[in-house]
Amino acid sequence: MKFIIKVILIAVLSYILQLLLPFWVVAVVAFVVNYAIQSSGWSSFFSGFLAIFLVWSIVAIIINSRTDSILTDQVAALFSMNSILITLLSAFIGGLVAGMGGLTARMLFTRKNKSSKYYS
Amino acid sequence: MRLFKFFLTLLFTLVLIYTLNNGWNIKGTPIPPLGKFLDPFHGFWQNAEDSALPYPESVELNGLSAPVTVQYDSLYIPHIFAQNTNDLFTAQGYVLAQHRLWQMEFQTYAASGRISELIGSAAVDFDKLQRRKGMVYGAEKSLNSMQENTELWAYVTNYAKGVNQYIEELSYKDYPLEYKLLNYEPEEWTPLKSALLLQYMIDNLTGWDMDLENTNAYNLFGAEIFKKLYPNYTATMDPIAPSAQNWEFEGVEVTETPDSINLSNNYYSEVHTMPDPDNGSNNWVVSGWKTESGKPILASDMHLGLNLPSLWFLIELSAPDYNTMGFALAGNVGIVSGFNQNNAWAFTDVSRDERDWYHIRFTDESRKEYYYEDTKLKTSLKVEEIKVKGSETIIDSVIYTHHGPVVYDRNFMSEDGENNLALKWIGHYPSRVQEALLGLNTSKSYQDYLTALEYWDAPAQHVAFASTSGDIAIRVQGLWPNKFEDQGRFILDGSQKVMEWQEFIPTNHYAFLHNPDRGFVSSANQHSVDSIYPYWQGWARPDHYRGRRINKILAAYDSGTIKPDDMMQLQLDSYGILSQEILPTLLDSLKKNGLNSDTTYMALRNWDYVYDHQEYAPVAFISWWSNFKSLLWDEMKIDSIAIKQPTDYQTIYLVKNGIPGSFEDNKATSRKETLNDIIAMSYDSMKMSLAQWSESNTGKLTWGNYKHTAVTHLARIPAFSRRNIQVNGEDDVVNSTKGNHGPSQRIVVEMTSPPQAWAVIPGGQSGNPGNPAYDNMLDAWRDGKFFKLNFMQNQKSAQDVLLNQTLAPSAE
């Protein structure tokens, strides 16, 4: 449950802040959320990763379908990929940055009892 | 331990972000900043557009005195309606930047030799050459001349204001795609950049000569053979302004003529890269008495490199006393070629030699002085700093003499330091064509056309003209030194005053036609005048085929028959006079067994000389012809001596009238070949070349596949280029379309009141590969279709246009 709340929080906050700030703001958001809601390392990393992977891929897919893939195919070709792969690559990169932001927060506080990771 | 882990993770995260926020170069492959670039909120995704006109309906602009309305028609062409000309050009700058910012800027980077800054060391040689040719040096002179005309200067600075306000609005998210990909930011636009764009066009059209190769050939083959291989005037000519009329003037004598040309005995091993020799154009105008409507019809297509974003931008400019529609360049004020309510005008390049090379003898290694007559002259030094992306800045020292910059020296293409060659170029004189263009934009009569052209200097052009009043005309316009015979065909001695450019030919002695009896004027880069014209001309790369074809077809029309559609068809004409003039000779001389069952031979026998993209015969002919020429002129393939083959025209002439020397003999064999042997040998080589083509290519061996026409992105980014375009034509036919080169626009204007026009460009209005208007006209261009232009003249109601954009003065 905590994990899902974190994912939603990171996704929503990042979406809003990204309208104004560069891509690395997702790391800051994931850091702050994971500092506020503390949990295990895995949960800290993947809450950020999943949230941004989803946000970025959904935004990319919406742009892609709205514009009839006009540019995605060309840029994908530049990377020797197809439009699905370039979408996944984009989402993965965003996810990785946010995931690391979350994990950094985890390293700031002392570990609670080990069992937390089973229900986070 | 905990803190250590935290800092380690933090450090890793920061390094990751840093890595993704910056561009990299991995083994020469530039990688954009992946985080920024792939971020769907700011990166390339934001450049994908679902509308061809994703522009705001209202914009505030500093410096406007009244609101300006920009209305976009169904072809996405903007029609700018301003209340005065100053506002008009501020708006033009803004609108061009809105569509073409990256292209505008990139072309000026290319002009000034700054491409390495963007793409790295691959462009260093290109940049060095641009700097050594003195591109900025020339542009600055034109800029100074713009400054002298206060009205023009106001226009150019207003244009810059418009561009800069568009730039100021942008954040990373809005940058044109190429900035994101190449990871740099737009710079401030300045009037110098407008001058640089002009210089870029001047270089494209006059930056070509054969002086080094001519010198080599002259020294190698001797005067007599040289004259036969490379005659200045050819046997058959169909000049643009023939001398059948009596010139109403006596030519001015050349001030001083040397006793002899004193050719240097040096051989030149390398020649720097030059613009495509096929850079040129067609234009013609037919008189009202030949047309169905009784009004003149003008046609124009300019042959240049085929690039995306499209070179030309279609636009209508309207203000009091200004109502013009046509093709603008991204970066220059006004319209280059087009029409207004009274007149239409169009350009083709004049194939005169507009640059010469002077051999410089420095007094010593320091190169601070060089010999001139009985004295020594001082050089000046320009230190060029070439910034290179991902590498150290390169310093290149360019020495200037009174002739011009020393392009070839010990640091560039002449390592032994013997051949120091200074460039004397019309592009180093101040160009006033921007003034001339604005004069043409607002011209109302034939007289206005003449007045406007008084300012036209470089690049030299044949300016065709048509008016609603029925006048048709063509002028050979430019700025040319009055040369003695053969001056500047070879390397000149830079220490002799007599070898220099002296007086210029008086402008009232320029050749022209005005309402000629034959009922049409035309030009296709052939000789402008014949040898009776009282001034000696050195020709560079004149056309021998397109002009004759156009004139033959235009002459054949009876009075009152020509329709605009006929002129569009003539622009698409792909009939090859070259092949018609040589192929039967080649076929008749081919002595082989079994030719009647040889499919290639039969295809050539049955060919109608039309370069149809679906046909096989054009492939066989072009390959045969090129193999034939390399066997015939094999004596010209010498490693350390640059020589150009004689033209196709001259080669055909010599094949039919006797080849001088012993060129027929192939040096690679021990026996002595005759012409017929060469023809048979080259037929076999052709078959081998074509078999190789089939092995390394998929698809049928058709002209379209073989020619493989491509419209390439300006920065050569493959994904933003369009390849394998199945299009008719060849460089020597009216529809002059080859691999990466061809008609960069086509337009036909009928001079009714108001004029009606049909046009097409090989691309579209938008410069953004993610916009539907990036290449929306390309298929129509390929298939020879045209779009009727909407010459609005007056503002329409907002509902009748696709987008009604208001540029309002900002309340600053």
Side-chain angles (χ1 to χ4, degrees):
Chain A
M1 194 58 202
K2 221 168 158 186
F3 182 77
I4 294 170
I5 290 169
K6 283 198 297 186
V7 169
I8 292 171
L9 265 178
I10 296 171
V12 172
L13 284 174
S14 294
Y15 183 90
I16 295 166
L17 287 171
Q18 275 229 271
L19 298 177
L20 303 166
L21 294 166
F23 79 97
W24 46 259
V25 75
V26 301
V28 179
V29 170
F31 178 88
V32 171
V33 167
N34 274 290
Y35 189 73
I37 306 172
Q38 299 185 351
S39 53
S40 72
W42 284 107
S43 162
S44 302
F45 179 82
F46 279 105
S47 59
F49 183 86
L50 189 64
I52 299 306
F53 188 89
L54 287 175
V55 171
W56 280 30
S57 51
I58 289 166
V59 172
I61 288 165
I62 290 171
I63 290 174
N64 189 45
S65 69
R66 186 168 51 79
T67 61
D68 212 9
S69 208
I70 186 168
L71 186 56
T72 328
D73 291 340
Q74 295 178 58
V75 173
L78 209 59
F79 284 76
S80 311
M81 292 180 173
N82 59 30
S83 61
I84 296 171
L85 279 177
I86 194 87
T87 309
L88 289 176
L89 176 70
S90 300
F92 175 81
I93 283 185
L96 188 65
V97 171
M100 286 313 297
L103 189 64
T104 310
R106 171 66 187 79
M107 297 300 165
L108 254 191
F109 51 83
T110 43
R111 192 183 302 203
K112 284 189 210 162
N113 66 51
K114 266 194 158 183
S115 64
S116 64
K117 75 176 175 195
Y118 297 108
Y119 54 85
S120 65
Chain B
M1 185 63 196
R2 185 172 60 90
L3 223 53
F4 174 72
K5 269 189 174 171
F6 166 71
F7 281 116
L8 197 68
T9 320
L10 180 66
L11 183 69
F12 185 83
T13 308
L14 291 176
V15 168
L16 179 71
I17 290 173
Y18 179 82
T19 310
L20 296 171
N21 201 35
N22 284 284
W24 300 92
N25 201 313
I26 298 173
K27 290 181 187 163
T29 311
I31 311 286
L34 285 177
K36 285 163 89 172
F37 186 73
L38 296 174
D39 168 8
F41 292 83
H42 308 98
F44 84 86
W45 300 94
Q46 288 293 327
N47 296 84
E49 285 162 352
D50 55 356
S51 149
L53 299 169
Y55 311 120
E57 283 188 11
S58 68
V59 176
E60 286 200 348
L61 281 189
N62 270 330
L64 286 184
S65 61
V68 176
T69 306
V70 188
Q71 301 194 315
Y72 293 82
D73 67 24
S74 57
L75 296 169
Y76 315 126
I77 296 172
H79 303 251
I80 303 183
F81 297 95
Q83 292 173 30
N84 59 64
T85 30
N86 278 320
D87 285 356
L88 182 65
F89 296 125
T90 311
Q92 193 190 1
Y94 183 86
V95 168
L96 259 298
Q98 180 182 258
H99 288 76
R100 300 284 189 85
L101 176 63
W102 176 78
Q103 173 195 27
M104 277 172 97
E105 209 183 47
F106 189 82
Q107 287 173 342
T108 64
Y109 269 72
S112 51
R114 292 178 60 195
I115 298 296
S116 310
E117 244 172 84
L118 311 180
I119 69 163
S121 47
V124 168
D125 282 346
F126 172 84
D127 285 345
K128 271 192 187 171
L129 177 60
Q130 296 298 78
R131 312 251 182 152
R132 284 176 166 265
K133 282 192 298 198
M135 293 287 285
V136 176
Y137 172 70
E140 279 170 347
K141 291 206 170 171
S142 303
L143 183 76
N144 290 340
S145 86
M146 285 182 196
Q147 244 159 336
E148 282 163 19
N149 176 337
T150 41
E151 200 180 51
L152 177 67
W153 186 246
Y155 296 160
V156 178
T157 48
N158 279 331
Y159 187 96
K161 273 186 211 160
V163 177
N164 286 328
Q165 289 187 65
Y166 179 75
I167 295 174
E168 282 159 26
E169 283 173 13
L170 304 179
S171 65
Y172 179 79
K173 171 168 102 66
D174 319 303
Y175 282 178
L177 185 59
E178 292 88 344
Y179 289 105
K180 297 182 184 178
L181 193 62
L182 301 171
N183 193 27
Y184 71 112
E185 291 172 5
E187 280 182 350
E188 190 191 358
W189 185 266
T190 59
L192 176 63
K193 294 200 170 191
S194 289
L196 278 167
L197 179 69
L198 193 64
Q199 191 72 21
Y200 182 70
M201 295 308 291
I202 291 173
D203 184 42
N204 254 315
L205 297 171
T206 69
W208 202 93
D209 68 73
M210 274 177 52
D211 301 0
L212 279 72
E213 293 102 326
N214 282 345
T215 307
N216 285 343
Y218 193 97
N219 282 329
L220 203 61
F221 305 132
E224 199 186 328
I225 289 185
F226 178 85
K227 276 185 188 158
K228 287 186 173 156
L229 297 179
Y230 308 97
N232 195 34
Y233 283 97
T234 45
T236 329
M237 275 201 301
D238 200 344
I240 291 156
S243 292
Q245 57 173 316
N246 281 322
W247 300 106
E248 288 163 2
F249 56 84
E250 294 274 318
V252 177
E253 290 286 316
V254 182
T255 325
E256 226 186 327
T257 306
D259 303 331
S260 76
I261 295 190
N262 268 347
L263 222 51
S264 86
N265 294 320
N266 293 350
Y267 283 109
Y268 302 90
S269 56
E270 264 190 295
V271 176
H272 76 66
T273 315
M274 290 184 197
D276 195 306
D278 287 321
N279 280 351
S281 312
N282 304 319
N283 66 15
W284 62 84
V285 188
V286 287
S287 283
W289 64 262
K290 283 190 82 111
T291 69
E292 200 182 56
S293 66
K295 293 291 180 183
I297 301 176
L298 172 143
S300 145
D301 54 300
M302 299 189 247
H303 314 149
L304 293 160
L306 292 174
N307 286 321
L308 285 167
S310 295
L311 178 67
W312 300 105
F313 185 75
L314 281 156
I315 194 167
E316 178 179 353
L317 299 175
S318 178
D321 286 324
Y322 205 119
N323 212 328
T324 310
M325 186 164 192
F327 300 95
L329 286 169
N332 274 127
V333 176
I335 281 164
V336 175
S337 173
F339 59 95
N340 57 31
Q341 285 152 324
N342 305 295
N343 295 341
W345 66 96
F347 302 96
T348 70
D349 196 41
V350 175
S351 304
R352 274 190 225 188
D353 182 11
E354 297 184 85
R355 18 179 259 167
D356 291 325
W357 296 96
Y358 286 91
H359 186 259
I360 302 297
R361 276 184 306 130
F362 294 114
T363 54
D364 59 40
E365 284 291 294
S366 73
R367 307 194 297 172
K368 285 185 175 143
E369 289 180 322
Y370 59 103
Y371 294 106
Y372 182 73
E373 293 291 318
D374 301 334
T375 175
K376 296 167 185 173
L377 293 183
K378 288 202 166 18
T379 61
S380 64
L381 179 69
K382 192 167 181 218
V383 177
E384 298 282 359
E385 287 184 31
I386 303 172
K387 290 185 194 150
V388 186
K389 188 178 187 176
S391 180
E392 277 174 38
T393 296
I394 289 176
I395 305 288
D396 194 23
S397 307
V398 185
I399 290 175
Y400 280 70
T401 63
H402 78 289
H403 300 289
V406 179
V407 177
Y408 295 83
D409 66 10
R410 66 188 182 206
N411 298 319
F412 193 76
M413 304 195 82
S414 171
E415 273 147 25
D416 60 6
E418 288 298 310
N419 296 327
N420 298 300
L421 299 180
L423 174 63
K424 177 77 181 178
W425 179 28
I426 202 71
H428 293 151
Y429 285 76
S431 167
R432 296 179 74 185
V433 297
Q434 180 68 70
E435 272 169 275
L437 284 174
L438 291 178
L440 288 170
N441 277 220
T442 51
S443 66
K444 290 189 166 65
S445 60
Y446 175 67
Q447 192 52 47
D448 286 353
Y449 153 81
L450 295 181
T451 311
L453 287 188
E454 284 173 16
Y455 295 105
W456 192 280
D457 33 45
Q461 298 287 298
H462 304 114
V463 191
F465 171 84
S467 80
T468 50
S469 65
D471 278 300
I472 72 165
I474 195 160
R475 282 190 72 85
V476 186
Q477 199 72 31
L479 179 68
W480 299 285
N482 188 358
K483 289 181 169 179
F484 53 80
E485 191 175 342
D486 281 347
Q487 183 181 6
R489 289 191 80 192
F490 311 98
I491 306 295
L492 293 158
D493 183 349
S495 67
Q496 280 185 278
K497 185 168 186 296
V498 66
M499 296 296 173
E500 292 192 51
W501 292 8
Q502 301 169 20
E503 301 294 315
F504 284 94
I505 297 175
T507 49
N508 57 347
H509 290 181
Y510 289 178
F512 69 98
L513 290 178
H514 179 212
N515 297 330
D517 292 341
R518 65 178 183 179
F520 66 89
V521 298
S522 89
S523 68
N525 319 109
Q526 71 266 47
H527 294 86
S528 310
V529 291
D530 48 36
S531 51
I532 301 164
Y533 181 70
Y535 291 95
W536 184 82
Q537 310 284 332
W539 300 101
R541 63 192 173 95
D543 157 79
H544 297 280
Y545 300 103
R546 287 178 284 119
R548 282 153 67 202
R549 176 72 179 166
I550 291 166
N551 288 352
K552 189 178 166 201
I553 290 185
L554 292 179
Y557 277 106
D558 290 333
S559 63
T561 55
I562 300 178
K563 296 185 288 295
D565 192 55
D566 298 323
M567 299 297 90
M568 297 178 215
Q569 291 316 307
L570 179 51
Q571 288 185 331
L572 301 168
D573 181 88
S574 295
Y575 182 90
I577 297 186
L578 187 160
S579 27
Q580 175 223 310
E581 287 182 343
I582 189 64
L583 183 57
T585 311
L586 294 181
L587 288 170
D588 292 345
S589 316
L590 190 61
K591 303 281 180 278
K592 276 181 181 296
N593 295 326
L595 283 175
N596 289 334
S597 56
D598 180 329
T599 49
T600 299
Y601 180 83
M602 291 316 289
L604 287 170
R605 271 282 176 214
N606 296 324
W607 185 33
D608 58 3
Y609 310 120
V610 174
Y611 287 81
D612 184 312
H613 70 88
Q614 292 169 316
E615 291 293 321
Y616 166 67
V619 181
F621 170 70
I622 288 292
S623 172
W624 189 6
W625 180 235
S626 122
N627 276 299
F628 171 77
K629 283 187 295 180
S630 52
L631 278 179
L632 177 63
W633 304 128
D634 60 325
E635 291 79 0
M636 300 187 180
K637 262 180 289 177
I638 307 170
D639 269 350
S640 54
I641 303 177
I643 292 189
K644 277 211 166 58
Q645 291 177 350
T647 60
D648 285 332
Y649 178 87
Q650 197 58 21
T651 305
I652 293 174
Y653 179 84
L654 295 173
V655 165
K656 292 184 175 180
N657 294 282
I659 292 165
S662 56
F663 286 99
E664 297 102 310
D665 185 30
N666 185 278
K667 285 191 157 176
T669 63
S670 51
R671 68 190 176 113
K672 192 159 173 65
E673 280 82 8
T674 64
L675 199 55
N676 282 358
D677 294 331
I678 299 274
I679 290 171
M681 285 161 74
S682 58
Y683 186 82
D684 295 337
S685 330
M686 172 264 286
K687 288 205 144 180
M688 270 169 58
S689 328
L690 297 185
Q692 274 168 8
W693 188 95
S694 297
E695 268 174 40
S696 48
N697 290 275
T698 52
K700 255 178 90 178
L701 188 46
T702 59
W703 179 235
N705 286 337
Y706 185 76
K707 182 167 65 152
H708 199 85
T709 297
V711 184
T712 44
H713 183 263
L714 256 187
R716 303 278 173 267
I717 296 169
F720 306 152
S721 307
R722 303 291 178 261
R723 302 196 168 276
N724 196 17
I725 297 164
Q726 297 291 324
V727 57
N728 296 343
E730 190 262 345
D731 40 324
D732 283 315
V733 306
V734 180
N735 183 7
S736 178
T737 314
K738 59 179 190 179
N740 186 25
H741 194 274
S744 61
Q745 48 75 255
R746 293 190 181 108
I747 189 169
V748 170
V749 191
E750 188 175 31
M751 300 313 291
T752 47
S753 295
Q756 308 182 76
W758 297 263
V760 70
I761 51 176
Q765 290 285 90
S766 170
N768 177 10
N771 184 297
Y774 178 64
D775 58 1
N776 62 320
M777 295 196 208
L778 185 56
D779 288 354
W781 174 87
R782 175 196 64 197
D783 300 337
K785 294 186 178 134
F786 288 73
F787 300 98
K788 174 125 197 230
L789 298 183
N790 182 353
F791 183 33
M792 285 187 190
Q793 304 167 81
N794 292 299
Q795 204 170 314
K796 294 196 170 188
S797 67
Q799 305 90 277
D800 294 340
V801 295
L802 286 188
L803 172 68
N804 191 75
Q805 197 175 30
T806 309
L807 312 180
S810 71
E812 137 213 53

